[in-house]
Amino acid sequence: MKYQNLYTPYTKKKTMANSNTLSLSTFTIIVLVLQLNFFSSNAEAAGVKGGYWYYDSGLDASAIDSSYFTHLFCAFADLDSNTNKITLPSSTFSTFTQTVQKKNPAVKTLLSIGGGGGPTLASKFSTMAKQNSSRKTFIDSSIQVARANNFHGLDLDWEYPNSNTDKTNLGFLLNEWRAAIKQEARISGKTQLLLSGAVSGSNQISPLQYYPAQAITNNMDWINVMVYDLFIPDGYRNSTQPPAPLYNPTGIFSGSEGINVSWINQLKVPPNKLAIGLPFYGYAWTLVNANVHGLFAGANGAGSIPSGGSTPVYRDIRSFINNGAQTVYNSTYVTNYCYSGTTWVGYDDTQSVSSKVSYAKSIGLIGYFAWQVGGDDNNWTLSKTASSIWGP
Ligand SMILES: *[C@@H]1O[C@H](CO)[C@@H](O)[C@H](O)[C@H]1NC(C)=O
Ligand SMILES: *[C@@H]1O[C@H](CO)[C@@H](O)[C@H](O)[C@H]1NC(C)=O
Ligand SMILES: *[C@@H]1O[C@H](CO)[C@@H](O)[C@H](O)[C@H]1NC(C)=O
Ligand SMILES: *[C@@H]1O[C@H](CO)[C@@H](O)[C@H](O)[C@H]1NC(C)=O
């Protein structure tokens, strides 16, 4: 109940307080109705156990064990830069909601727009957001596509706003988007669509100063903070690294720095609008010396595991381990790693997932999300762990 969708009752309360004509009984009835609305529109109150499903991951949507999730993000719709409307890459998007609700009728689905498409994709968002008319076309199209395909919400993955102009225009976009969502709900009589986003988790990834924090707080149900990919072989060739540490006693960047220092203390987005990212994948390095295999051991750039390559998903890392790799959990950084010969992989296993989810709960975040559910093993080990640590 403390979480979000607070704007619905707040707006109505304001109207009510300004009216002198309400009788006590009408007032009582309205309060009761508001409370019902409040609870029914606030199904995220138990928190967000989120997971992205990527349509090209190899995992069929029907194979997702949705019982471990409250929210599933269907990724990704594209932005057509000619029309400023959104397009779906696959017909499976149209049946996604019905499919994942078979195992969990209460699970909510959000259509995720954009993704990690680099500067080309980012510039499409930047251009769309510049003009009032293109923003309106985009917003109307997103709502129409969400409703036509039975999604409960929309998720903006603009990776990343990268200038003060982007910041201003993203702020306009979010204000106008929420207004349009409210209006659509009023007209259709349906529950408002949820509005979330995936955002940079650290200045190490992309500058956080270009996010319109106030517009995010005012208009979004929550944001998924991508506190992963912080230390990867591309940038750190010479030594093994924790790719997504929760803590970093000897450096600046970490999950807790991104969430607590940057998003909460500096940008002032309340904790109950933030979900922490859990990577269901890792990064491989090549060790200089097979016998020196700790964190920050000498490395010769990226490595590769037999099945999974240089950015293996968890299920591939488990095979590597089942085939003899040694595993270590380092609780100082909150990272797992494993190694065999000169191949070394930093990743998240049950211990780091547990610790991150406990952290999220302890500081009052709305929940967590995984990228991406197809990376989990066949027993849904990480999804199950995160869900049980978060609790019902
Ligand atoms: C364009 O959008 C901005 C931001 O929402 C608004 O302030 C301005 O009035 C709009 N201009 C027109 C011509 O509608
Ligand atoms: C890695 O090592 C190379 C050669 O030893 C050196 O030139 C380079 O600066 C090092 N890079 C980093 C990021 O430490
Ligand atoms: C984690 O790794 C760092 C760097 O090697 C080390 O200093 C620290 O003691 C390790 N933490 C634990 C709990 O082993
Ligand atoms: C999944 O669980 C089964 C039964 O509990 C176990 O035998 C199997 O090894 C597990 N597989 C993985 C990939 O963990």
Side-chain angles (χ1 to χ4, degrees):
M1 191 164 123
K2 64 179 178 176
Y3 292 102
Q4 79 281 320
N5 276 352
L6 290 174
Y7 26 77
T8 308
Y10 277 176
T11 314
K12 286 182 189 163
K13 260 183 216 152
K14 246 184 233 157
T15 315
M16 223 165 59
N18 292 341
S19 165
N20 300 319
T21 57
L22 293 171
S23 71
L24 185 61
S25 59
T26 315
F27 183 83
T28 311
I29 288 166
I30 290 177
V31 167
L32 284 173
V33 169
L34 280 177
Q35 283 178 346
L36 288 175
N37 274 349
F38 185 79
F39 289 118
S40 64
S41 69
N42 206 29
E44 286 65 45
V48 170
K49 302 176 179 186
Y52 283 83
W53 173 74
Y54 181 55
Y55 80 103
D56 207 14
S57 67
L59 182 80
D60 204 272
S62 62
I64 302 172
D65 192 337
S66 49
S67 62
Y68 298 121
F69 299 95
T70 59
H71 296 79
L72 287 167
F73 301 86
C74 183
F76 290 106
D78 196 11
L79 166 59
D80 180 333
S81 51
N82 293 318
T83 63
N84 290 305
K85 295 184 178 178
I86 68 168
T87 59
L88 301 181
S90 151
S91 60
T92 54
F93 281 49
S94 297
T95 50
F96 183 75
T97 302
Q98 294 90 317
T99 301
V100 298
Q101 283 192 334
K102 281 186 187 138
K103 287 185 190 124
N104 176 6
V107 75
K108 294 194 176 177
T109 60
L110 295 95
L111 177 61
S112 196
I113 307 165
T120 312
L121 181 52
S123 77
K124 292 205 271 181
F125 285 104
S126 189
T127 304
M128 174 277 289
K130 273 187 188 133
Q131 304 288 335
N132 293 27
S133 59
S134 47
R135 286 197 304 273
K136 180 169 169 31
T137 304
F138 171 79
I139 288 167
D140 291 349
S141 155
S142 72
I143 294 173
Q144 189 273 324
V145 172
R147 287 300 192 199
N149 296 282
N150 300 309
F151 288 102
H152 302 94
L154 290 158
D155 177 61
L156 178 68
D157 286 12
W158 171 351
E159 299 184 18
Y160 302 92
N162 203 24
S163 65
N164 284 320
T165 307
D166 281 350
K167 176 180 179 175
T168 303
N169 295 337
L170 176 54
F172 291 155
L173 177 71
L174 295 176
N175 292 337
E176 294 159 5
W177 210 348
R178 175 55 70 184
I181 284 173
K182 278 185 183 168
Q183 190 188 17
E184 188 274 343
R186 231 170 2 243
I187 292 168
S188 69
K190 295 177 181 166
T191 306
Q192 279 184 46
L193 289 167
L194 297 166
L195 184 59
S196 65
V199 299
S200 168
S202 167
N203 286 315
Q204 171 86 322
I205 305 286
S206 186
L208 301 178
Q209 72 195 57
Y210 299 128
Y211 283 100
Q214 191 61 56
I216 288 173
T217 302
N218 293 347
N219 300 297
M220 303 191 97
D221 290 281
W222 77 90
I223 49 176
N224 292 330
V225 187
M226 298 188 279
V227 278
Y228 41 71
D229 305 337
L230 296 175
F231 302 99
I232 66 176
D234 265 356
Y236 294 84
R237 296 185 50 76
N238 294 353
S239 58
T240 63
Q241 300 283 328
L246 181 58
Y247 304 114
N248 189 347
T250 54
I252 298 170
F253 302 114
S254 69
S256 59
E257 188 270 343
I259 298 257
N260 202 35
V261 178
S262 297
W263 277 101
I264 297 175
N265 291 333
Q266 288 168 1
L267 294 170
K268 310 242 178 294
V269 175
N272 65 9
K273 294 253 168 179
L274 307 174
I276 191 172
L278 307 173
F280 282 8
Y281 62 94
Y283 285 90
W285 275 262
T286 301
L287 295 170
V288 171
N289 178 345
N291 297 319
V292 183
H293 42 57
L295 278 177
F296 315 112
N300 288 319
S304 174
I305 68 173
S307 165
S310 57
T311 53
V313 293
Y314 181 66
R315 70 169 65 233
D316 293 327
I317 296 167
R318 288 311 313 179
S319 311
F320 184 57
I321 294 164
N322 290 340
N323 289 329
Q326 300 296 303
T327 60
V328 178
Y329 172 59
N330 183 298
S331 61
T332 310
Y333 286 82
V334 180
T335 190
N336 290 81
Y337 59 90
C338 62
Y339 53 90
S340 174
T342 54
T343 303
W344 189 99
V345 180
Y347 71 105
D348 277 23
D349 209 318
T350 53
Q351 298 94 330
S352 26
V353 162
S354 299
S355 183
K356 288 176 183 184
V357 173
S358 298
Y359 169 82
K361 237 180 132 76
S362 73
I363 63 164
L365 302 192
I366 193 170
Y368 62 83
F369 72 97
W371 174 268
Q372 41 88 22
V373 300
D376 209 345
D377 70 7
N378 290 338
N379 288 349
W380 294 92
T381 300
L382 297 183
S383 305
K384 200 183 294 182
T385 299
S387 175
S388 76
I389 296 289
W390 185 266

